[in-house]
Amino acid sequence: MLTQPQGKDDDLVTGSPTQPQVKPSTIAFLRRRRDAYQVLETLPGVEYLSEANGSRASMRRDGLFRRALAGSDVVAAYLALLFAITVVKGGAVSLRPAAVLVGPFLVLACKAIGLYDRDQHVLRKATLDEAPSILQVSALYALTTWFVETMLFHGRLARPQVFLLGAASFVTMSIGRTLARRFARAATAPERCIVLGTEADTARIARKLSSSPGVKAILVGRVALHADDDPVATAHDLLGKTEMLAQVIDEYRVERVIVASDSPDQDEILHAIRLSKSVGARVSVLPRLLEVVGSSSTYDDVDGMTLLGVRPYGLSKSSEFLKRTMDVLASAIGLVFLAPLGVALGVAIKLDSRGPVFFHQPRIGRNGHGFNMLKFRSMVDGADRFKGDLRERNEAEGGLFKIQDDPRITRVGRFLRTTSLDELPQLLNVLQGNMSLVGPRPFVPDEDALIEGWERRRLTVRPGMTGLWQVFGSSRIPKSEMVKIDYLYGANWSMWLDLKILLRTVPYVLNRRGL
């Protein structure tokens, strides 16, 4: 834990006998910074005059990410253009020297839409999250190239070439940006973070930082918001109190402050955020409000007063119709194309152990109605009879039952679970209308009986084959957090959210995390 220096360093930091003292090294870096922020009460008379060590590291990281992304976008622009004019022979087209400008144009378009500035604000730098923006830039790139084709080409572009240019640029930019981020992430040190909040919030954030793919960060410790926090009773290092925040950021080379506060004193939180930004640290806020209203709320500006428009929970009739249409089409197509695989898996199950191919399990679906969920059988026949004998080995919390090395699983069943192929028969549940491709986890009746109050709002949405909790890692999430994630899915629903979850399910399965 940091200790406050006992001697007076100079009149700028003495203030009053009750004011904290600050290390001379901290004052040195503060004196070098000049910006719009005035001296806060913790450091009376001092202006923030330069960047902290953590800020310089953040700037180097941000610069590397920007250069890597810009380079990949330039290469993507040229590759997409060459692909479009060589693959489709609709027009006799050859390049003029001015065609070299398409690369810088694409970079300029990406900069204008904010595709180089997003990474510095977030911990999880994922290309999939910016796919809608990449699609907009790709469409703009194709249309602009078409409009100025006389400057760029000998000949004229055919309409198929224009469409192919837009599609190819979206693919090449997405792949290029993914690879560029992997390179930049590997070439930079982990981002140094502290939590401004309680020990419970710090432990939760630490688990997320260590398990989330795409995040490269370390938690240095935490800064307490309340004077009654006991550093001896905490698992994470208590680096100081809020009045020592500037000193902590400097001494521990902090690059990002994660604010996780339930304090009713909003002035104290605003004070800490302004101070963190003043000394060059990035700031991320864990908003309690979004745990209720969701992140899809709309910001409304009324003459400088910002209001948050909260959307109703669940899906509108038109959204429900669109989601159901996509479910029917996708499940029907999937059943047709996966039928040979299903037959092969059924034969393997029968040869491996006695019993039926399919396992029917009662689950609770939309609006609390029960249904039988289908799976390929992965356990010995009658496995539920042995559940009581194994209950002492249960590794899940909150009434759930899960064993890492369950002895009831068959040889073929273990393969089915690790590849998630045991879930394929649920396409029939989707086609019947009992389930959706994406949605909350359908609990068995015993588990559902433990869900009470507002948490039951999750049943407003049709349960899914996959969902946010599966992508995050179902075996690592306690039930209390799982139902909150399911609730937020209903609060934030969009077709793009469903598509993102489906796309993220693919690497989840390929990484064989399905047990």
Side-chain angles (χ1 to χ4, degrees), residues 458-471:
R458 62 191 294 278
L459 297 177
T460 304
V461 183
R462 188 178 279 111
M465 292 181 61
T466 186
L468 286 173
W469 66 271
Q470 291 97 327
V471 173

Side-chain angles (χ1 to χ4, degrees), residues 256-500:
R256 184 177 299 272
V257 177
I258 303 175
V259 181
S261 171
D262 55 0
S263 172
D265 187 356
Q266 295 300 306
D267 288 339
E268 181 184 26
I269 304 304
L270 294 175
H271 173 103
I273 292 175
R274 292 190 185 106
L275 175 59
S276 301
K277 293 168 63 177
S278 297
V279 298
R282 304 282 189 249
V283 177
S284 295
V285 179
L286 183 65
R288 303 296 186 187
L289 181 64
L290 297 187
E291 295 182 2
V292 178
V293 303
S295 59
S296 295
S297 304
T298 302
Y299 287 94
D300 184 17
D301 186 281
V302 182
D303 291 339
M305 178 179 66
T306 302
L307 299 176
L308 189 65
V310 181
R311 53 178 283 183
Y313 186 83
L315 280 64
S316 65
K317 291 183 178 180
S318 58
S319 297
E320 176 64 34
F321 174 79
L322 178 60
K323 182 175 173 64
R324 180 61 186 151
T325 301
M326 297 300 295
D327 284 340
V328 171
L329 291 176
S331 60
I333 294 173
L335 286 170
V336 170
F337 282 94
L338 295 174
L341 175 61
V343 172
L345 293 176
V347 172
I349 292 171
K350 293 294 290 184
L351 293 176
D352 183 52
S353 62
R354 294 180 179 180
V357 172
F358 297 107
F359 174 65
H360 300 256
Q361 188 177 41
R363 296 286 179 125
I364 303 300
R366 186 182 182 189
N367 297 325
H369 298 304
F371 70 98
N372 285 322
M373 190 177 73
L374 292 175
K375 285 188 176 185
F376 281 126
R377 182 173 58 84
S378 59
M379 292 186 175
V380 296
D381 191 25
D384 282 344
R385 298 195 305 268
F386 307 103
K387 189 174 181 178
D389 299 333
L390 299 171
R391 192 167 296 278
E392 63 180 14
R393 296 175 55 184
N394 183 27
E395 300 173 2
E397 300 176 1
L400 303 181
F401 187 83
K402 187 178 289 290
I403 300 176
Q404 183 68 27
D405 296 315
D406 198 320
R408 300 172 297 171
I409 300 177
T410 64
R411 291 173 298 177
V412 172
R414 188 165 300 279
F415 168 77
L416 293 175
R417 288 194 168 203
T418 55
T419 58
S420 296
L421 290 174
D422 61 324
E423 311 281 353
L424 285 183
Q426 291 168 33
L427 289 171
L428 291 170
N429 289 119
V430 175
L431 195 60
Q432 293 170 358
N434 296 322
M435 295 181 66
S436 175
L437 292 176
V438 181
R441 168 192 170 123
F443 285 146
V444 298
D446 291 345
E447 296 172 348
D448 180 76
L450 301 175
I451 308 300
E452 299 176 343
W454 64 267
E455 295 176 342
R456 296 199 66 79
R457 293 293 303 279
R458 62 191 294 278
L459 297 177
T460 304
V461 183
R462 188 178 279 111
M465 292 181 61
T466 186
L468 286 173
W469 66 271
Q470 291 97 327
V471 173
F472 293 155
S474 59
S475 62
R476 300 190 301 269
I477 299 179
K479 189 197 69 174
S480 59
E481 189 168 349
M482 187 184 298
V483 294
K484 184 184 298 182
I485 292 171
D486 287 341
Y487 176 88
L488 289 178
Y489 170 80
N492 295 323
W493 183 87
S494 68
M495 283 302 298
W496 170 237
L497 176 60
D498 275 7
L499 181 58
K500 280 203 302 184

Side-chain angles (χ1 to χ4, degrees), residues 44-104:
V46 179
E47 293 182 352
Y48 301 109
L49 309 177
S50 184
E51 305 149 359
N53 296 328
S55 178
R56 289 195 291 269
S58 295
M59 292 174 64
R60 289 193 294 269
R61 178 183 293 102
D62 295 341
L64 179 58
F65 270 89
R66 285 194 181 96
R67 290 190 294 272
L69 292 174
S72 71
D73 289 340
V74 170
V75 174
Y78 295 140
L79 288 178
L81 184 60
L82 292 175
F83 182 78
I85 66 176
T86 56
V87 171
V88 178
K89 303 298 183 181
V93 177
S94 60
L95 298 177
R96 293 179 183 270
V100 72
L101 297 176
V102 298

Side-chain angles (χ1 to χ4, degrees), residues 134-155:
I134 296 177
L135 184 60
Q136 295 178 35
V137 171
S138 300
L140 176 63
Y141 173 49
L143 291 175
T144 304
T145 303
W146 188 24
F147 290 153
V148 298
E149 60 181 354
T150 56
M151 297 173 52
L152 304 178
F153 311 111
H154 295 287

